[in-house]
Amino acid sequence: MSITPLMPVYPRCGVRPVRGEHCHLISEDGRRFLDFASGIAVNLLGHSHAGLIGAIQKQAETLMHVSNLYGSPQGEAIAQRLIELTFADTVFFTNSGAEAVECAIKTARAYHQHVGNDHKYELITFKNAFHGRTMATISASNQEKMHKGFLPLLAGFKYLEFNDLEAAKAAIGPNTAGFLVEPIQGEGGIRIASNEFLQGLRALCDEHDLMLILDEVQSGVGRAGTLYAYEQFGIAPDILSTAKGIGGGFPVGACLATEKAARGMVIGAHGSTYGGNPFAMAAIGAVLDVVSDEGFLADVRAKGERLRGRLEQFIGNYPELFESVHGRGLFIGIKLKIEPRAFVAHMRDNHQVLTVSAGDNVVRVLPPLVIDDSHIDEFMDRLSAAAASYQPEEVA
Ligand SMILES: *Cc1c(COP(=O)(O)O)cnc(C)c1O
């Protein structure tokens, strides 16, 4: 037998983490890595946060799981906190980001179909978006590498250029149900929507009675320096998907909606066995205890500015390698002049620092939100050693 025990869908590298210590990971072979990837924007409290560990331990001893057939004091309390912190009036808990986007897509379609507008099923999405790996969420993205082998796609998605408001306006037709968009594209390369674009989409939704769905699975939960990125654009969505950081490493997500948007999500319309179980709620509670604090978020913005400032100064030393630095909060992209994967591998294998590549030749810098200046110093030291020693030939 030559297939690996883990279905071979990931190009796994030689780092094999077995333990986490705050902002570092320790590999099976004893090597210690500075983790500025955070499990792709997940471990926002680092790897050994006492509050998160304590909450999960306590919940494990008390009650891990019950069916959604029963009342949920744990779920109601966390939903209420999210409602108070955001635009939302109601919440559906999921186990992943893709499921949160699935629920958002279903909520938008159900909004129209609930009142008999069955023809309004099409969502307009944007090129280089990433919404997950289920059939609906790959259908929502134009990326052919995710479609290959899985055709036919689900019908009802149309892809336009990101940040092109005129195209969005022109694309609205009788079948349009709404827009699905990341306010800051993560996998696409930390590409930030313009204020004009998101405000324009909001106005189009109001004018044509369409649903504005924001996918904040990566940009949310403090990553971009506000609890949700949309707060920085002067708009609110009708529906929002959140996951990744919201459990701090515990697998959980959520679909948030206004009362109006959720009018089709009636009894029997949707479900999930694990969704919102007490274990997951304990994790979200511990994360929100830290991240929903305005002082903490101000600190994330300040740390992001310091890190971006230092990166901007630094990249000028290697004009053949680096092009620019962009981002919000600790959601940072370094745009390279080369394909970034070999450089990410070089930083990892030769300088023990973890980052993630993205589209548009970008290296994503996604540290835990709890870093301090010593971690920024360590990152800059390792990055500058990596840039000094980088030989473009050594392709990993
Ligand atoms: C990661 C991501 C998803 C998918 O989340 P999973 O938990 O991997 O299913 C969806 N949307 C965005 C914007 C993401 O970054």
Side-chain angles (χ1 to χ4, degrees), residues 40 95-99 101 130-133 182 184 186-187 215-219 241 243-244 364:
I40 314 191
N95 316 290
S96 67
E99 286 169 282
V101 180
F130 182 78
H131 298 299
R133 295 293 202 144
E182 295 161 272
I184 304 174
E187 305 295 318
D215 183 354
E216 291 228 35
V217 168
Q218 196 159 155
S219 59
S241 53
K244 290 206 164 92
R364 267 177 291 177

Side-chain angles (χ1 to χ4, degrees), residues 31 42 52 66 75 87-88 106 127 136 190 192 203 219 268 279 291 310 325 330-331 333 345-346 354:
R31 283 181 298 161
V42 170
L52 180 59
V66 294
F87 73 98
K106 288 179 75 175
K127 290 184 186 167
I190 323 276
I192 305 173
S219 59
F279 223 170
V291 175
R310 288 185 61 178
V325 175
L330 289 168
F331 200 25
H346 171 67
L354 304 179

